[in-house]
């Protein structure tokens, strides 16, 4: 929670930005620009509301690290935290990372299952994803590489993949017995992370691509076989969707896809959801397009990332608070991924214990906090994932002079409200002119709009709204410096 002194500093900071601008911008740091506080010419944006792209099914968030901090609050505050995530956001997935058996710590599983069930009170359609790579100790052994000791999956054990499948089965069973079904098995996690401990983690003496392939090739079919056997699966648990390779980078995702296709086509055929993270190369549009081109129609998710990692904004030189930089970073990562093929976008963590901004989590929940406090980037996550109805389609658009800005737009098929998310990465205010076109490029009349904004001084605030007695062909709006804006536009159908 910020002090009054910090609030005053932020207000002064915002006034400085608005009045005088800044000598450096996020995209072109050395560009000489006029001293006006607003760009001279409005950017022209045309939204094509019948140019339907893929469907965005909703957001996701991991719940793995600091769930104890959530439960350290009183019941009322716990409920408030759940509502911020599950009621106020179109949250499609919760995801967890577990490395023990249910019998090792039943209360641990109770807490995690109860958290998911509390969310489902507000969002019954919420689904649960388990990441299956944090292997329990009985599946690991110690190895020495160049004099350094590591824990690795014991691939010397001829039964290791059967034992791995059994652990997954016990995880699923542990949650199912507590009233929570698991819809996705996210098989591995960041196998392309270029660190010695990760290279050794999957066994086979550090031959990571082959080792990961064998996890998919042998453990996953055995796990499905157990679920398909009614004598073993007495609870009638459903076979989950299989997700992977959940690489740290979309570049790594392409590398693993290629390896699977060339060396283990059965592995490739049995993956339901292609997944990547965005911690590295997260703003590389072409990599996302390449994944879609090679995905052969499979679903494509971004299954874990957080702000201030992998974006393309070069925010270090920008005169703004870390809170705002995280919000801008999130908008860049989300728009890059979802504009270019991603159908669900997961944030790294539900909450973090830090009072001041930490990009790893959406909510600030220190130990025994009085209540959860959303970080500024939470409001951007909420807007981007949830301003539009769940299962809306991304639509096509055109925008002149797109530098220092970003746009992503959604519509629910055959409805007459479009949601355009416009991020102004410039240190100057920007005017934007929006036209809405339908089938056959016909201009659709705009009858109403409202504009909400997150900036240095706003957190998802309504800053402008208008209803036209005589509908207009286009609208012109002013966006604040360094802001993320959602424009909800109602148009008249022809």
């Amino acid at each position: 929670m910020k002090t009054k002194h910090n609030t005053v500093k932020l207000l002064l900071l915002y006034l400085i930005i608005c009045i005088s601008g800044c000598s450096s911008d996020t995209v072109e740091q050395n560009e000489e620009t006029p001293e006006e506080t607003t760009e001279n010419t409005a950017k022209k944006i045309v939204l094509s509301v019948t140019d339907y792209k893929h469907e965005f099914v909703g957001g996701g968030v991991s719940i793995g690290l600091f769930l104890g901090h959530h439960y350290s609050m009183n019941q009322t505050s716990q409920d408030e935290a759940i509502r911020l995530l599950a009621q106020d956001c179109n949250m499609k997935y919760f995801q967890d990372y577990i490395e023990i058996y249910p019998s090792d710590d039943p209360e641990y599983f109770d807490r995690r299952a109860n958290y998911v069930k509390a969310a489902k009170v507000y969002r019954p359609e919420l689904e649960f994803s388990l990441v299956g790579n944090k292997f329990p100790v009985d599946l690991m052994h110690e190895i020495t590489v160049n004099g350094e000791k590591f824990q690795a999956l014991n691939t010397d054990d001829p039964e290791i993949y059967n034992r791995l499948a059994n652990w997954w089965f016990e995880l699923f069973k542990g949650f199912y017995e507590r009233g929570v079904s698991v819809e996705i098995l996210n098989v591995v996690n960041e196998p392309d992370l270029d660190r010695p401990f990760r290279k050794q983690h999957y066994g086979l003496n550090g031959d990571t691509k082959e080792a990961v392939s064998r996890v998919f090739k042998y453990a996953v079919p055995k796990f499905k076989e157990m679920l398909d056997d009614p004598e073993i699966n007495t609870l009638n648990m459903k076979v989950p969707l299989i997700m992977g390779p959940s690489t740290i980078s979309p570049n790594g995702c392409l590398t693993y896809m290629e390896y699977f296709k060339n060396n283990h086509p059965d592995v490739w055929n049995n993956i339901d959801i292609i997944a990547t993270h965005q911690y590295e190369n997260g703003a590389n549009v072409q990599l996302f397009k390449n994944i879609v081109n090679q995905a052969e129609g499979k679903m494509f998710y971004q299954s874990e990332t957080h702000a201030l990692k992998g974006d393309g904004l070069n925010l270090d030189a920008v005169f703004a608070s870390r809170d705002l930089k995280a919000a801008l970073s999130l908008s860049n990562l989300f728009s890059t991924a979802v504009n270019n093929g991603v159908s669900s976008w997961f944030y790294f963590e539900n909450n973090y214990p830090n009072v001041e901004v930490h990009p790893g989590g959406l909510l600030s929940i220190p130990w025994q906090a009085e209540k959860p406090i959303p970080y500024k980037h939470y409001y951007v996550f909420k807007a981007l994932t949830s301003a539009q109805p769940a299962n809306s389609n991304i639509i096509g658009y055109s925008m002149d002079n797109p530098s220092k800005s970003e746009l992503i737009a959604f519509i629910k098929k055959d409805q007459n409200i479009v949601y355009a998310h416009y991020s102004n990465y410039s240190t100057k205010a920007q005017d934007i002119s929006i036209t809405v076109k339908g089938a056959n490029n016909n201009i659709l009349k705009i009858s109403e709009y409202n504009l909400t904004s997150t900036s240095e001084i706003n957190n998802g605030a309504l800053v402008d709204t208008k209803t036209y007695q005589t509908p207009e062909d286009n609208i012109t709006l002013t966006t604040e410096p360094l802001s993320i804006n959602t424009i909800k536009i109602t148009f008249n159908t022809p």
Side-chain angles (χ1 to χ4, degrees):
M1 292 177 286
K2 291 184 171 63
T3 63
K4 291 182 179 178
H5 180 65
N6 286 337
T7 302
V8 170
K9 286 201 300 183
L10 286 176
L11 288 170
L12 289 173
L13 174 63
Y14 177 73
L15 289 172
I16 290 170
I17 292 172
C18 289
I19 294 170
S20 64
C22 181
S23 62
S24 60
D25 275 77
T26 56
V27 179
E28 299 169 81
Q29 296 294 326
N30 298 317
E31 179 186 13
E32 292 185 4
T33 54
E35 292 301 316
E36 304 95 330
T37 57
T38 306
E39 299 288 349
N40 287 327
T41 304
K43 290 179 185 285
K44 291 183 174 61
I45 296 170
V46 178
L47 304 175
S48 301
V49 296
T50 56
D51 182 14
Y52 300 121
K53 310 297 183 185
H54 61 286
E55 188 177 272
F56 181 70
V57 301
V61 69
S62 300
I63 66 172
L65 284 181
F66 300 106
L67 209 56
H69 289 71
H70 170 85
Y71 283 115
S72 76
M73 298 186 295
N74 63 44
Q75 188 61 51
T76 300
S77 296
Q78 290 177 34
D79 183 64
E80 184 177 350
I82 290 291
R83 285 189 289 106
L84 285 166
L85 296 174
Q87 184 182 57
D88 295 357
C89 295
N90 286 334
M91 197 68 78
K92 177 67 173 176
Y93 299 105
F94 276 179
Q95 178 167 265
D96 206 354
Y97 308 68
I98 295 176
E99 58 183 326
I100 62 174
Y101 293 85
S103 58
D104 292 336
D105 191 344
E107 292 183 356
Y108 177 91
F109 277 78
D110 290 344
R111 291 191 298 271
R112 303 183 102 73
N114 288 340
Y115 188 86
V116 177
K117 287 190 289 188
K120 286 192 173 189
V121 170
Y122 294 107
R123 191 161 295 279
E125 65 271 29
L126 183 81
E127 296 185 2
F128 193 37
S129 168
L130 274 182
V131 185
N133 81 303
K134 297 181 74 173
F135 309 128
V137 293
D138 67 307
L139 303 184
M140 310 285 277
H141 68 162
E142 185 175 85
I143 61 173
T144 302
V145 180
N146 296 326
E148 190 172 358
K149 296 183 183 301
F150 298 98
Q151 290 294 312
L153 185 68
N154 185 8
T155 49
D156 293 340
D157 178 358
E159 291 297 313
I160 190 60
Y161 299 112
N162 290 340
R163 295 177 63 203
L164 176 53
N166 181 70
W167 171 59
W168 290 338
F169 184 88
E170 291 299 320
L171 287 182
F172 275 55
K173 182 180 176 183
F175 279 101
Y176 199 89
E177 289 175 335
R178 291 164 172 81
V180 174
S181 61
V182 184
E183 282 72 34
I184 294 175
L185 174 61
N186 190 354
V187 178
V188 297
N189 190 65
E190 296 179 353
D192 59 329
L193 180 62
D194 190 19
R195 296 182 188 175
F197 78 90
R198 185 54 55 83
K199 289 181 178 180
Q200 302 299 329
H201 180 74
Y202 296 97
L204 288 189
N205 298 313
D207 186 358
T208 310
K209 289 189 180 66
E210 181 61 25
V212 165
S213 298
R214 293 189 186 187
V215 171
F216 280 97
K217 190 179 187 72
Y218 300 120
V220 170
K222 178 63 177 178
F223 174 57
K224 289 183 175 181
E225 181 184 311
M226 295 174 73
L227 291 172
D228 287 335
D229 188 338
E231 293 186 4
I232 299 173
N233 183 12
T234 58
L235 297 174
N236 195 29
M237 296 183 290
K238 301 295 186 287
V239 175
L241 296 175
I242 301 301
M243 182 157 72
S246 297
T247 49
I248 198 168
S249 161
N251 187 57
C253 185
L254 284 164
T255 301
Y256 273 81
M257 289 168 65
E258 180 181 351
Y259 189 86
F260 294 154
K261 287 183 178 185
N262 291 339
N263 298 280
H264 299 284
D266 53 337
V267 170
W268 171 250
N269 291 336
N270 285 312
I271 293 176
D272 301 299
I273 304 171
I274 298 297
T276 187
H277 302 167
Q278 286 179 278
Y279 293 112
E280 297 175 4
N281 301 305
N284 190 319
V285 169
Q286 191 58 51
L287 290 177
F288 283 89
K289 290 181 177 179
N290 290 347
I291 291 173
V292 171
N293 289 339
Q294 296 185 38
E296 300 178 4
K298 295 179 187 288
M299 293 182 286
F300 180 26
Y301 287 6
Q302 189 286 115
S303 63
E304 178 201 328
T305 207
H306 66 66
L308 297 178
K309 282 279 190 181
D311 61 61
L313 298 182
N314 190 19
L315 294 170
D316 289 345
V318 177
F319 186 57
S321 69
R322 183 169 169 81
D323 305 55
L324 182 56
K325 289 180 181 181
L328 295 164
S329 174
L330 191 156
S331 76
N332 174 261
L333 292 167
F334 179 93
S335 297
T336 298
V338 177
N339 257 334
N340 294 287
V342 162
S343 292
S344 186
W345 196 85
F346 290 31
Y347 206 72
F348 177 45
E349 284 290 335
N350 52 346
N351 57 263
Y352 248 68
N354 304 61
V355 176
E356 296 300 326
V357 66
H358 193 295
L362 292 172
L363 308 176
S364 169
I365 302 180
W367 190 257
Q368 295 183 342
E370 291 184 6
K371 63 177 183 177
I373 303 296
Y375 292 125
K376 186 178 286 289
H377 54 274
Y378 163 84
Y379 296 98
V380 177
F381 177 88
K382 175 183 173 183
L384 291 170
T385 63
S386 312
Q388 61 278 348
N391 302 102
S392 291
N393 286 82
I394 295 90
I395 59 170
Y397 69 89
S398 65
M399 178 169 62
D400 65 352
N401 187 24
S403 68
K404 305 191 186 98
S405 62
E406 196 137 33
L407 180 73
I408 186 167
F410 297 86
I411 195 168
K412 190 81 169 177
K413 271 191 177 182
D414 301 322
Q415 293 189 2
N416 69 325
I417 300 175
V418 61
Y419 300 81
H421 303 283
Y422 177 81
S423 297
N424 176 7
Y425 299 135
S426 171
T427 54
K428 298 178 178 63
Q430 289 182 344
D431 289 339
I432 55 175
S433 172
I434 301 177
T435 303
V436 178
K437 289 189 176 181
N440 302 316
N441 219 26
N442 292 326
I443 293 177
L444 303 177
K445 297 287 187 177
I446 297 171
S447 59
E448 183 180 352
Y449 76 83
N450 64 49
L451 168 65
T452 57
S453 180
T454 294
S455 63
E456 198 70 82
I457 62 172
N458 288 318
N459 291 325
L462 178 65
V463 296
D464 189 14
T465 184
K466 184 172 288 187
T467 300
Y468 296 101
Q469 295 301 316
T470 302
E472 299 284 334
D473 285 347
N474 58 68
I475 56 175
T476 299
L477 308 169
T478 299
T479 63
E480 298 175 76
L482 299 175
S483 63
I484 304 94
N485 308 273
T486 297
I487 309 104
K488 176 184 177 183
I489 301 169
T490 303
F491 57 88
N492 292 342
T493 54

